[in-house]
Amino acid sequence: MLGTTRSVTVFSLGWQRRLALLCACLALVLLGPGQPPAAAHYVPSRSLNPDSLTLGVHPYLNAAELQRRFAPLCAHLSRVCGRPVQWRILPSFGDMAEQFGQPGLELAFTGPTLYVRLRQQQPRLQLLGSLSDGRGLLRGALVVRQDSPLRQVADLRGQTLAMVAPYSTMGCMVPRAVLAEHRLGLEDLAAVAFLGNHDNVAYAVLAGRYAAGAVKQEVLDSLQGAGLRVLAPLPPVADHLFIASSTLEPQLVDCLRTALQQLHLSAEGRTLLRALRPDARCVAPVQDSDYDGLRGLESLADTPVDWAQDQGVAGMEQGEEAAGVTPAH
């Protein structure tokens, strides 16, 4: 347990960065329906391996939803950069941490906490841009059922809590910091389960399998009126981002970066952005320092996460799928 109460830092970008992000996203309004500037087209050299690139996605939503979101984007990147780009879901957040940068996983869309972990392992990985709603922040909440007697974070003592995975930002790391701020550690809860993705957590709470859960705002918004109530909002942090392996040719990386950051300049691109996330306005320029607020976040909690626990659906009880929980993939 922590000896003193500590405030949870709001891990937001500086006002200058937020203003720059907003201006970049509003460019689509100013440009209207006109033709966007063309992305620099990448022409593969004959000496390069012609095999396709693979964009890895951590399992933060169910497989069908991730297919709908990322397959069209990969087709677009393939056309623009002249190199086939396919996508695949990694079985767990931990698998992403272990496999990114190896042959067959050259690109990734990753959450903030997992990015910080990957940057520690691979300092030379390359940033392509962050998915942005114009503010550049990821939000979430601790939620309970509408009829729950729980009214504040302190009421979670002795209760069950559903989380996503140890690498999940809004599904684990930020919630643990909030618990610590209220002098609660994981050992003060009756049970903690990692259910693999945010959909699983939301539906498990609705089904009464757990007293509370930690979910990202996007999932909470999609379930308005379904019977969830916010127990406590979570501090916002820098958003999800696209990254590339240090092994990729610079010209190819430049093409991918430009293609992503120009999506908001065309009607087709804006459709792809909305498919990735309904509130997405652009893929904004990003720098490593945007994630400084997350570094050391684990020190706000009284016990470190055992990363080996990250097995996708670890902790899911038998029969939970029948109770309305979407299996993680």
Side-chain angles (χ1 to χ4, degrees), residues 259-301:
L260 288 167
Q261 293 186 17
Q262 288 185 352
L263 285 175
H264 67 286
L265 300 180
S266 70
E268 178 193 1
R270 292 192 288 273
T271 298
L272 293 172
L273 285 168
R274 288 192 295 270
L276 289 175
R277 202 172 67 199
D279 69 346
R281 298 293 301 278
C282 62
V283 175
V286 65
Q287 54 193 26
D288 179 66
S289 60
D290 293 341
Y291 298 87
D292 284 348
L294 282 172
R295 292 180 168 93
L297 177 60
E298 191 171 318
S299 66
L300 290 175

Side-chain angles (χ1 to χ4, degrees), residues 140-151 160-162 195 197-233 323-325:
L142 288 169
V143 298
V144 295
R145 280 172 52 118
Q146 190 65 46
D147 58 2
S148 171
L150 306 181
R151 295 295 167 184
T160 57
L161 178 64
L195 302 187
N197 66 53
H198 292 268
D199 288 329
N200 284 357
V201 171
Y203 288 117
V205 173
L206 281 171
R209 304 294 293 180
Y210 302 94
V215 297
K216 61 191 298 186
Q217 188 65 40
E218 177 190 357
V219 171
L220 184 58
D221 290 343
S222 72
L223 292 173
Q224 284 187 358
L228 288 177
R229 172 168 55 84
V230 173
L231 181 68
V325 179

